[in-house]
């Protein structure tokens, strides 16, 4: 019995020692695997196909000019040399006095210059007529070659109507005044500019200069 009790005691001591020496193994640390971000999706860029623009070049053919003069009316201007400029004496109503002359720069009343004595007061009649244009014209005052004009301009249906009425105060030394009128076709891009150049060249000259004034004499027709 003594040996049996001793064996039990030794067994208990061994169990206690083994229990005290047993350590819980540390749990292994988890390695954090970095999450790989999905590749960024670049939106498709749609590049518009450019349509080449067609550029139309309008060439302005400048015709050499010719200097014209009327030694009786003391007027002068420069116009393209391919124009056939003529002057006609206008008929006056019965009882009217004075002379009115109409110079055709471009035929069919496209461009005309009417010259008359300031005593007839026709300048105001022309102003009143131009103000009836449809649409109502834009009125301005311009000075060219020492002549002061009342200018009227109206555009409709692809046509531009322009009238220049010289004031009496700008009459020449013979007492003549002039009205210049033209109609430009807007489909011809340089026509209005060409006609304006003719107006800008218009001038009066004096009796003293009439004998030496250069230019071709404007034919007078009936």
């Amino acid at each position: 019995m003594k040996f049996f009790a001793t064996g039990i005691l030794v067994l208990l001591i061994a169990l206690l020692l083994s229990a005290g020496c047993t350590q819980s193994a540390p749990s292994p640390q988890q390695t954090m695997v970095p999450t790989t971000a999905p590749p960024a999706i670049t939106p498709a860029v749609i590049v518009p196909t450019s349509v080449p623009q067609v550029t139309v070049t309008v060439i302005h053919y400048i015709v050499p000019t010719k200097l014209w003069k009327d030694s009786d009316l003391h007027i002068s201007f420069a116009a393209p040399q391919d124009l056939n400029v003529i002057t006609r004496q206008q008929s006056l109503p019965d009882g009217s006095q004075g002379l009115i002359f109409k110079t055709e720069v471009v035929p069919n009343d496209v461009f005309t210059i009417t010259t008359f004595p300031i005593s007839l007061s026709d300048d105001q009649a022309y102003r009143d007529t131009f103000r009836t244009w449809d649409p109502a014209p834009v009125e301005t005052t311009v000075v060219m070659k020492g002549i002061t004009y009342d200018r009227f301009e109206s555009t409709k249906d692809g046509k531009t109507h322009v009238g220049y009425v010289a004031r009496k105060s700008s009459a020449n030394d013979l007492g003549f005044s002039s009205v210049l009128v033209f109609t430009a076709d807007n489909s011809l891009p340089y026509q209005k500019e060409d006609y304006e150049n003719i107006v800008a060249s218009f001038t009066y000259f004096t009796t003293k200069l009439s004998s030496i004034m250069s230019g071709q004499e404007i034919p007078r027709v009936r």
Side-chain angles (χ1 to χ4, degrees):
M1 292 293 291
K2 181 177 179 180
F3 291 106
F4 180 77
T6 301
I8 294 299
L9 181 60
V10 173
L11 179 61
L12 290 174
I13 293 171
L15 292 172
L16 291 173
L17 288 175
S18 63
C21 294
T22 302
Q23 297 180 357
S24 60
S27 59
Q29 296 182 355
Q30 293 182 349
T31 302
M32 300 298 293
V33 179
T35 302
T36 302
I41 299 176
T42 303
V45 178
I46 301 175
V47 180
T49 303
S50 60
V51 179
Q53 296 183 351
V54 179
T55 302
V56 179
T57 302
V58 180
I59 300 176
H60 185 195
Y61 293 100
I62 300 177
V63 179
T65 59
K66 178 190 295 186
L67 189 62
W68 295 90
K69 69 176 182 177
D70 190 311
S71 298
D72 293 331
L73 302 179
H74 290 189
I75 65 173
S76 175
F77 58 90
Q81 64 179 11
D82 58 349
L83 296 178
N84 295 317
V85 179
I86 61 172
T87 294
R88 300 177 186 274
Q89 181 176 334
Q90 300 294 101
S91 300
L92 294 177
D94 294 338
S96 299
Q97 296 180 350
L99 300 174
I100 295 180
F101 299 91
K102 184 175 183 180
T103 301
E104 297 179 0
V105 182
V106 181
N108 301 320
D109 289 333
V110 174
F111 193 131
T112 62
I113 301 173
T114 303
T115 303
F116 50 86
I118 58 175
S119 58
L120 295 179
S121 298
D122 279 9
D123 56 323
Q124 188 57 47
Y126 277 101
R127 292 184 185 92
D128 294 340
T129 298
F130 295 160
R131 286 170 180 148
T132 65
W133 285 348
D134 180 27
V138 176
E139 298 186 33
T140 55
T141 300
V142 297
V143 179
M144 293 181 289
K145 300 285 188 180
I147 305 173
T148 301
Y149 299 94
D150 293 319
R151 184 182 185 278
F152 302 81
E153 179 174 335
S154 176
T155 299
K156 183 178 182 180
D157 298 332
K159 304 286 186 180
T160 297
H161 305 284
V162 181
Y164 287 84
V165 181
R167 294 186 178 177
K168 290 182 178 181
S169 58
S170 297
N172 64 18
D173 64 337
L174 297 180
F176 281 111
S177 187
S178 301
V179 173
L180 297 83
V181 188
F182 67 77
T183 299
D185 187 341
N186 296 339
S187 65
L188 304 175
Y190 293 105
Q191 189 174 78
K192 182 173 180 289
E193 177 184 335
D194 291 340
Y195 290 169
E196 292 284 9
N197 288 336
I198 297 175
V199 176
S201 71
F202 183 84
T203 187
Y204 295 132
F205 55 86
T206 63
T207 302
K208 183 177 180 180
L209 295 176
S210 62
S211 60
I212 61 174
M213 191 70 181
S214 61
Q216 181 171 329
E217 198 72 36
I218 302 173
R220 187 72 57 84
V221 298
R222 295 184 178 275

